[in-house]
Amino acid sequence: MPRLFLFVGADQGDWTVTSQRTLAGEGLAPVSAVTMLGTEAAPGSGTWALRGITSNERYVERAEKTQLLAVQEGLSRPQARCAALIPIRKTAAWWALTQDERRAVFEAQSHHTEIGLRYLPAIARRLHHCRDLGEAEPFDFLTWFEFAPEHTSAFDDLLAALRASPEWAYVDREVEVRLSR
Amino acid sequence: MPRLFLFVGADQGDWTVTSQRTLAGEGLAPVSAVTMLGTEAAPGSGTWALRGITSNERYVERAEKTQLLAVQEGLSRPQARCAALIPIRKTAAWWALTQDERRAVFEAQSHHTEIGLRYLPAIARRLHHCRDLGEAEPFDFLTWFEFAPEHTSAFDDLLAALRASPEWAYVDREVEVRLSR
């Protein structure tokens, strides 16, 4: 199973950009398409390339994992013609918290997993970590979402709920790229 | 502050190898010296080079962190003329555990932080993560220890206590390189 993925923003690619906006911090150069590559391939002629690696879960506990596994679906469903790439970076204050403090913000205060569960199986998601790939990564996480067009408003609601949570006070860079194929 | 470190095993270097042994899994080619470099420098003519990155803590809770900060000392103390580089890899079963399960093995069952605290400030330590640097890293963690020669038997006790803990059932590759300068 590949773990390292490259997201290339360019003039052409697998997914057509339908909107691109910056929610916090520095943006990304506007592109017309995004392609997700399953290996650390050469980024070629893209405008930008972001890399991230799937990893072990950092907050989810067994009872939550059991719930997630029971309902979540994978990427590449034929009906999932909409996608979103959301790179975020968290503040130094976040990374200085201890595990119990981060877990408290993530779930007890922000209900991150609980909110995500409400939108399953409609919204499929894969989280990629960047922070420990090297010293100079521009983001900490790249989240990739896929859903059918009729679930677009549910996806809007999911993002609104997460962004209104205490956890988002620790987000200092966020870009949202909406896509279709 | 640099986060990415390179440990180069070679014929010559900053730290002289006094012993090198394999505790689990595949060993490392024997070397005479190890040098720790503070950036991702070219490994040059070394026999092997292992890289790791410091990161946020994954298990320590605030009360433990407060205790650690009160007593731990940093690297490069003049009297700390002994060191050890201990690369380890954990099993797929470990990485498939959820956060609460890993924390239970790490602390409730194995008392990892509690054991480490007993040897402070004599034994200084820095943990480097490798697993999320890429898909093909040979180890998951590189731990670097420094201590004065008179604390060698305390260091032996620390290693024995950790290796006897339930957490070590999840270690499938471990090499120990003892060093002096």
Side-chain angles (χ1 to χ4, degrees):
Chain A
M1 280 288 290
R3 293 178 56 215
L4 191 61
F5 293 88
L6 196 67
F7 296 87
V8 179
D11 292 341
Q12 295 190 312
D14 290 350
W15 293 83
T16 302
V17 173
T18 56
S19 75
Q20 178 174 340
R21 65 189 186 120
T22 304
L23 289 107
E26 194 187 344
L28 283 173
V31 294
S32 303
V34 171
T35 301
M36 172 169 50
L37 300 170
T39 61
E40 198 171 19
S45 57
T47 303
W48 43 256
L50 301 173
R51 57 193 190 126
I53 191 162
T54 60
S55 186
N56 60 299
E57 282 145 350
R58 307 296 164 85
Y59 302 107
V60 168
E61 300 185 350
R62 177 54 61 189
E64 295 157 348
K65 177 79 172 174
T66 301
Q67 287 185 279
L68 289 167
L69 286 174
V71 286
Q72 72 190 359
E73 294 185 358
L75 301 183
S76 304
R77 295 171 295 181
Q79 73 275 25
R81 288 185 283 108
C82 295
L85 172 65
I86 304 189
I88 70 166
R89 188 180 64 199
K90 284 182 168 172
T91 61
W94 173 263
W95 296 112
L97 296 177
T98 53
Q99 178 66 30
D100 54 325
E101 292 169 335
R102 279 182 278 106
R103 163 77 194 183
V105 175
F106 183 89
E107 201 58 40
Q109 297 174 30
S110 301
H111 312 286
H112 192 130
T113 301
E114 188 187 323
I115 290 169
L117 268 165
R118 281 186 225 148
Y119 298 92
L120 296 181
I123 314 293
R125 164 191 175 276
R126 190 167 65 205
L127 177 66
H128 310 79
H129 298 253
C130 323
R131 180 174 161 80
D132 291 342
L133 284 172
E135 287 177 331
E137 294 300 314
F139 293 96
D140 290 336
F141 303 100
L142 312 176
T143 312
W144 177 263
F145 299 92
E146 288 181 7
F147 48 94
E150 62 265 33
H151 294 128
T152 300
S153 68
F155 183 64
D156 293 341
D157 293 346
L158 166 62
L159 294 185
L162 288 173
R163 288 173 181 155
S165 74
E167 185 189 346
W168 247 250
Y170 294 95
V171 172
D172 70 0
R173 188 177 184 192
E174 180 174 12
V175 178
E176 178 186 311
V177 186
R178 299 278 191 122
L179 303 149
S180 71
R181 66 170 178 192
Chain B
M1 279 288 289
R3 293 178 58 215
L4 190 61
F5 294 88
L6 196 66
F7 296 87
V8 179
D11 292 342
Q12 295 191 312
D14 290 349
W15 292 83
T16 302
V17 173
T18 56
S19 74
Q20 179 174 339
R21 63 187 187 121
T22 304
L23 289 107
E26 194 188 345
L28 283 173
V31 294
S32 302
V34 170
T35 300
M36 173 168 49
L37 300 170
T39 60
E40 197 171 19
S45 58
T47 303
W48 42 257
L50 301 173
R51 60 193 187 124
I53 191 161
T54 60
S55 187
N56 60 297
E57 283 146 349
R58 306 296 164 85
Y59 303 107
V60 168
E61 300 185 351
R62 178 54 60 189
E64 295 157 349
K65 177 80 173 173
T66 301
Q67 287 185 280
L68 289 167
L69 286 174
V71 287
Q72 71 190 1
E73 294 185 357
L75 300 183
S76 303
R77 295 170 296 180
Q79 73 274 25
R81 297 195 320 275
C82 296
L85 173 64
I86 304 190
I88 70 166
R89 187 181 64 199
K90 284 183 169 171
T91 61
W94 173 262
W95 296 113
L97 296 176
T98 53
Q99 178 68 29
D100 55 324
E101 292 169 334
R102 280 182 278 106
R103 163 77 194 184
V105 175
F106 184 90
E107 202 59 39
Q109 298 175 28
S110 302
H111 312 286
H112 192 130
T113 302
E114 188 186 323
I115 290 168
L117 268 165
R118 282 185 223 148
Y119 298 93
L120 296 181
I123 315 292
R125 164 191 175 277
R126 191 169 63 205
L127 177 65
H128 310 79
H129 298 253
C130 322
R131 180 175 162 80
D132 291 342
L133 283 173
E135 287 177 332
E137 293 300 314
F139 294 97
D140 289 336
F141 304 101
L142 311 175
T143 312
W144 177 262
F145 299 92
E146 288 182 6
F147 48 93
E150 62 267 32
H151 294 128
T152 299
S153 68
F155 183 63
D156 293 340
D157 294 346
L158 166 61
L159 294 185
L162 288 173
R163 287 173 181 155
S165 73
E167 185 188 347
W168 248 250
Y170 294 94
V171 172
D172 70 0
R173 188 175 184 193
E174 181 173 11
V175 177
E176 178 186 310
V177 186
R178 298 279 191 121
L179 303 149
S180 72
R181 66 168 180 195

